[in-house]
């Protein structure tokens, strides 16, 4: 069975938390793009980096890497700052 749905949810949550932290305010997801590289990697952990922050938007990039170093997923997201 594929771990993709749970991994996508974990990545989306991690990206939302980092965006809100960078914005120091509540944010809403505008766009999320996901590339599955190894859907069988059930133990991959998401790592997120804020790429850019403007007055109204937060851009982030992330990847999920398994403990043995395999990249399971790459993702980018845009969040709108609302509060």
């Amino acid at each position: 069975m594929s771990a993709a749905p749970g991994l996508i949810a974990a990545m989306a949550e991690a990206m939302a938390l980092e965006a809100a932290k960078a914005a120091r305010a509540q944010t809403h997801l505008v766009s999320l793009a996901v590339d599955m590289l190894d859907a069988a990697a059930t133990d991959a952990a998401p790592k997120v980096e804020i790429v850019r922050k403007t007055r109204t938007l937060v851009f982030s990039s992330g990847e999920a890497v398994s403990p043995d170093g395999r990249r399971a997923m790459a993702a980018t997201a845009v969040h709108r700052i609302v509060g």
Side-chain angles (χ1 to χ4, degrees):
M1 179 171 188
S2 172
L7 191 53
I8 293 169
M11 178 63 76
E13 183 177 346
M15 292 181 119
L17 290 171
E18 288 299 317
K21 190 186 318 179
R24 295 184 180 166
Q26 183 179 4
T27 61
H28 288 248
L29 181 65
V30 173
S31 173
L32 175 65
V34 175
D35 294 318
M36 291 304 300
L37 307 172
D38 184 1
T42 59
D43 53 355
K47 297 178 184 176
V48 178
E49 172 185 3
I50 299 301
V51 177
R52 182 172 183 215
K53 178 187 163 294
T54 68
R55 189 173 54 81
T56 58
L57 297 172
V58 178
F59 299 83
S60 58
S61 175
E63 67 178 8
V65 180
S66 65
D68 63 359
R70 294 181 322 204
R71 284 184 53 188
M73 173 193 294
T76 58
V78 179
H79 287 82
R80 182 173 54 91
I81 301 169
V82 294

